[in-house]
Amino acid sequence: MALKLRRPAVALSGVGAMVVGLLVVSLSGSFQLPLNIVLIVFGMIAAVTGGLVFGVVAVAWFMKKAVQLSETSQWGRSRQR
């Protein structure tokens, strides 16, 4: 069964990963030293990865809208003639 994810679901998962990662980093101060470092590393990896996922989805959405806008504009039509 192929799972087809939509852009809003992927973007929300990216935002969720950012929030969880930053929450883990902020709560890591209450743990002992070895676990503290591990939680900081994993939290930062989750936050950066979530930010990249959200950024890529947002840029793809904006580019798609820009292409649609340029195709429907008067300048785009006159260029095709």
Side-chain angles (χ1 to χ4, degrees):
M1 179 171 102
L3 180 65
K4 186 173 182 180
L5 293 174
R6 303 283 182 201
R7 279 194 187 114
V10 174
L12 284 177
S13 67
V15 171
M18 281 192 300
V19 169
V20 168
L22 294 175
L23 184 66
V24 166
V25 169
S26 67
L27 293 177
S28 65
S30 61
F31 293 101
Q32 296 295 325
L33 189 60
L35 184 60
N36 185 3
I37 295 171
V38 171
L39 287 176
I40 289 173
V41 169
F42 284 131
M44 290 306 293
I45 289 171
V48 169
T49 304
L52 286 173
V53 166
F54 178 71
V56 166
V57 170
V59 167
W61 182 78
F62 280 122
M63 292 299 291
K64 182 179 177 184
K65 290 296 178 185
V67 167
Q68 288 175 352
L69 184 64
S70 70
E71 286 176 351
T72 60
S73 70
Q74 192 68 22
W75 179 76
R77 286 192 204 138
S78 65
R79 207 175 104 200
Q80 291 174 355
R81 287 181 184 172

